Amino acid sequence: MENVNFTPKEILQKQFRQKMRGYDPDDVDSFLDNVIKDYDTFVKENQRLQEENERLLSKVDELTKQVQVGGSQPQATTASSASSNVSNMDILKRLSNLERHVFGSQLDNDPNESHRL
């Protein structure tokens, strides 16, 4: 926000010199009122995004620390992977039995036995 030239309050309080053939002051005021509303909205959105960015950066730091701490435990992941494989095999066997039960002799007479475990 260092590069911002005006605050909403400065825009609101800006006084323009009047000349003989100038713009209608009411039109200028109306336009500046809308500019102030938009500017204020952008300032609030920018602040919200900066806060969210800070929150997300701290979350990334926290998760990075957790990964670094968890990196010293590779055996636990291998064990959970093995149990996952066992359960996957059980699921495949159950599915095969279910197909055999539902489709019956159609599967038993099929020359392609790739579906059998």
Side-chain angles (χ1 to χ4, degrees):
M1 296 284 295
E2 303 86 38
N3 298 332
V4 175
N5 292 321
F6 303 106
T7 65
K9 185 177 179 181
E10 291 171 334
I11 295 171
L12 178 63
Q13 294 176 348
K14 175 66 177 162
Q15 295 292 320
F16 294 94
R17 290 175 279 152
Q18 293 184 355
K19 292 192 173 186
M20 185 65 96
R21 294 182 182 239
Y23 294 104
D24 180 16
D26 293 333
D27 285 344
V28 173
D29 287 343
S30 173
F31 178 78
L32 287 177
D33 287 342
N34 291 329
V35 170
I36 290 169
K37 289 176 188 175
D38 287 349
Y39 194 85
D40 192 42
T41 301
F42 290 132
V43 167
K44 288 177 183 175
E45 179 67 8
N46 188 21
Q47 183 178 3
R48 185 190 68 79
L49 290 172
Q50 285 177 346
E51 290 170 359
E52 182 180 2
N53 188 34
E54 290 172 8
R55 181 184 61 81
L56 292 173
L57 286 173
S58 66
K59 184 72 172 177
V60 166
D61 289 342
E62 177 185 327
L63 291 174
T64 303
K65 289 176 185 175
Q66 288 178 2
V67 167
Q68 289 172 350
V69 169
S72 62
Q73 302 169 348
Q75 289 134 355
T77 358
T78 308
S80 69
S81 162
S83 68
S84 173
N85 288 339
V86 170
S87 64
N88 286 343
M89 187 58 105
D90 290 337
I91 291 171
L92 289 173
K93 285 181 182 178
R94 289 179 184 178
L95 183 59
S96 177
N97 290 336
L98 180 62
E99 287 175 340
R100 194 170 291 114
H101 178 72
V102 170
F103 296 110
S105 62
Q106 292 175 351
L107 289 176
D108 291 334
N109 295 332
D110 189 5
N112 180 7
E113 295 188 16
S114 63
H115 63 279
R116 295 185 185 180
L117 292 175

